[in-house]
Amino acid sequence: MGDHDQDLAGRLRQAGIARGDLVGLAVAPGRTTAPVGTVAVAVSSDAGWIVTADEVAAADASLRPRWVTWSGETAARLCGCGVRLATSWDIAAVHRLLFGGWLAGPGLAWAAIHGLAADGVPAHDPGTLFAGMPSPDEEPVGPDGYLRAEWAEGGWADSESRLVRWACVALGMAREQEAALGKTALGKTAEPGAGVRLATARSESTAELLCAELAADGLPVDLEVAGRLLTEIIGPRPRNADEATRIRAERDGLVLRHAPGGATADLRSPVQVRALLRSAGIDVPDTRAWRLEQYAKVHPIVAALLEWRKAERVATTYGYSWLDACVGPDGRLRGAWTGSDGAAGRMTASAGLHNMPAVLRQAVIAEDGHVFVRADLGQIEPRVLAAVSGDRALIAATEADDLYLPVAGELGVDRPTAKVAMIAAMYGQTTGYGGQAATRMKAAYPVAMGYLDDADRQARAGHDLRTYGGRLVRMSSGDGEGVPGGESRARVVGRGRYGRNAVIQGAAAELFKMWAVTVRARGAALDARVVLCLHDELLVHVPERAAGAAVRLVGDCLAETARRWVPGPTRFLAEITTVKCWADAKPTARTGQPADTVS
DNA sequence: TGCGGCTATTG
DNA sequence: CACAATAGCCGCAG
């Protein structure tokens, strides 16, 4: 074929675009398929074209530029028309990294990168709604320097020329964000390098692509097994409302039959449960499970109540209505995914994907001809602490498969004490462990403990923090800041703990996501698909015949990620197992032959 | 109807 | 019970 100059990859090459270079992308909403006119690409601030989604896919396969997207929504739209990009620069994801917080729309991201006040971002005047949407000015940037509301709020999709312009704006934004990442400096301890921040920006961006795929593909669930489990725990699926009421009353009866003198109570009301327990001679300040457990042998109603709680939990949150709402007829459990949420930028998921009761994992079963490769990072938080603080002694301890053994030796305490002391340092726990262990911890690992103490101090003072990968953790937006006398001590202490933990949990999340997107990229050749991300655990759905290769690949990806992420010799390891069912993973790893590990 | 409190599940 | 998250129900204010 002599017509290669006509395809998109050829045109991009002609414009000087090479593998990994930024290319602006804008995808109009509202179509499940993408004919000409719904996608625009941009190669400079004033040059771009309308193309088809298929052309983008083909150019991605042959040239693989880094596509600039406005947000995960762009990835979801492309996913919807069957296009899965290899890599991206996601403006919203990088905005969250650079500036913290959750809001990251085009108008705000534009203002932030240009140093304009967030409260000056223009919004549509609600009064104009009656007159219809004003047609967007052909110039996206207003005289005040902000993005015009008409553009930021969707007016860019109104015509092909505006769509192209929007892709051009995206490209410009990405370049400015890239430059800003190279300059950002904040914090005194172990100031992360620009290289790490750029690498983090790229993996956080590509994680948005992964999130769109996780949402679209879902987690394999065997509906028959799920139904059987539910029947065992909460009884058969009720056929009507009366039956549902009867089954519910029967469950309540198993507790209330132990009530003295036929007393009754609404078991869903903590106040009434407390009164019920008092009538049985048990006086407790609250009715949490860990507190009631001490009374399990005092009165039979306590054990019955705790049992009821477990069943009630499944019935209300993970019952038949959950299956109906979240599991498709294709046996895939689907939820909404976010790439960086909360205090430290962890991934989050809805539909119970991140907090499914362990017993229900028995229903998470690989499809015919497939298996799961399950990989679990071991002792990730103390290892991340060693890496980001650069503490030589703690880095040396990461050489051990069980990091707490050398730490215990160093402190002159037993392993459980060493573990509690380490976790206390990272989370800010102040009760329940000997102060002597903390003193020795400071002496043995002064750099690591100093890193945590510094985060704690900065957070207490209301100063923003930045993680190793460059994520801004906002401490200044909370109320009560800067009013030393007007703030309770508990509040300040709590904020210190928050900051102390955020720099560790956040850095761990960044490492994890870099690992996840590496597995996503390398695994494609094996038809291995990441189907679940769980903070320190990856579940990869893979054809049976490729299982062995996938196990090695997941381990290699961790080694590659660790090398790229941290310059020092910190050792990270993962327990990697091949299983048919998610629930099989833990026992195999604990009691079976040594799992594949990687350093 | 919205929201804080309580409770449970997970990493 | 130390950190993070999602989610349901109750009780109360408006």
Side-chain angles (χ1 to χ4, degrees), chain A residues 119-365:
Chain A
D119 55 13
V121 174
H124 264 125
D125 179 1
T128 63
L129 285 175
F130 292 105
M133 291 273 283
S135 81
D137 192 293
E138 290 306 322
E139 180 49 52
V141 183
D144 55 3
Y146 286 93
L147 269 187
R148 292 180 192 275
E150 293 84 358
W151 281 82
E153 293 169 20
W156 49 271
D158 289 355
S159 76
E160 292 193 353
S161 65
R162 279 192 282 268
L163 197 62
V164 171
R165 189 86 178 86
W166 196 236
C168 292
V169 175
L171 177 61
M173 279 279 301
R175 286 178 175 159
E176 286 171 295
Q177 288 183 325
E178 203 173 32
L181 275 161
K183 283 183 290 194
T184 306
L186 196 136
K188 291 171 289 188
T189 313
E191 178 68 16
V196 172
R197 292 198 298 268
L198 280 167
T200 302
R202 294 187 187 115
S203 62
E204 294 284 317
S205 294
T206 303
E208 296 294 330
L209 301 178
L210 175 57
C211 284
E213 291 164 14
L214 288 166
D217 295 343
L219 179 70
V221 164
D222 187 316
L223 277 167
E224 265 183 50
V225 175
R228 207 173 62 232
L229 284 167
L230 288 185
T231 302
E232 283 169 21
I233 300 165
I234 58 172
R237 182 190 278 266
R239 276 163 302 198
N240 53 53
D242 285 350
E243 207 171 279
T245 307
R246 181 176 58 77
I247 291 171
R248 207 169 100 136
E250 279 170 10
R251 241 195 341 261
D252 293 4
L254 295 178
V255 179
L256 294 173
R257 66 181 172 162
H258 297 291
T264 190
D266 179 355
L267 298 176
R268 294 154 194 85
S269 162
V271 175
Q272 292 187 42
V273 167
R274 199 171 155 226
L276 181 69
L277 290 171
R278 211 163 30 236
S279 78
I282 296 166
D283 197 5
V284 282
D286 62 64
T287 71
R288 289 182 172 91
W290 64 269
R291 201 186 292 280
L292 293 187
E293 265 153 25
Q294 300 160 279
Y295 299 90
K297 292 202 168 90
V298 174
H299 195 288
I301 197 170
V302 175
L305 177 65
L306 291 172
E307 201 58 33
W308 176 90
R309 284 250 178 93
K310 284 192 194 304
E312 179 72 2
R313 169 104 181 111
V314 170
T316 54
T317 309
Y318 299 102
Y320 298 102
S321 54
W322 169 66
L323 287 184
D324 295 346
C326 302
V327 183
D330 58 351
R332 292 292 182 119
L333 171 60
R334 292 183 178 83
W337 286 80
T338 66
S340 69
D341 199 6
R346 271 185 170 186
M347 295 174 84
T348 58
S350 65
L353 285 157
H354 275 181
N355 51 1
M356 188 188 306
V359 61
L360 295 182
R361 293 183 177 192
Q362 293 175 75
V364 178
I365 296 171

Side-chain angles (χ1 to χ4, degrees), chain A residues 26-34 37-40 74 77-78 156-159 163:
Chain A
V27 180
R31 302 264 186 104
T32 50
T33 59
T38 60
V39 183
T74 311
R77 275 180 207 148
L78 286 169
W156 49 271
D158 289 355
S159 76
L163 197 62

Side-chain angles (χ1 to χ4, degrees), chain A residues 395-422:
Chain A
I395 288 172
T398 65
E399 200 50 48
D401 285 358
D402 182 356
L403 171 144
Y404 293 119
L405 290 178
V407 170
E410 199 67 41
L411 302 190
V413 299
D414 61 7
R415 186 189 178 280
T417 305
K419 182 176 175 177
V420 169
M422 180 67 75

Side-chain angles (χ1 to χ4, degrees), chain A residues 566-580:
Chain A
V566 62
T570 306
R571 182 162 172 259
F572 293 95
L573 45 90
E575 209 166 49
I576 307 172
T577 52
T578 303
V579 292
K580 189 70 188 170

Side-chain angles (χ1 to χ4, degrees), chain A residues 541-562:
Chain A
H541 194 235
V542 53
E544 224 157 355
R545 63 179 183 285
V551 166
R552 288 188 293 277
L553 179 138
V554 168
D556 291 347
C557 286
L558 178 59
E560 180 185 333
T561 300

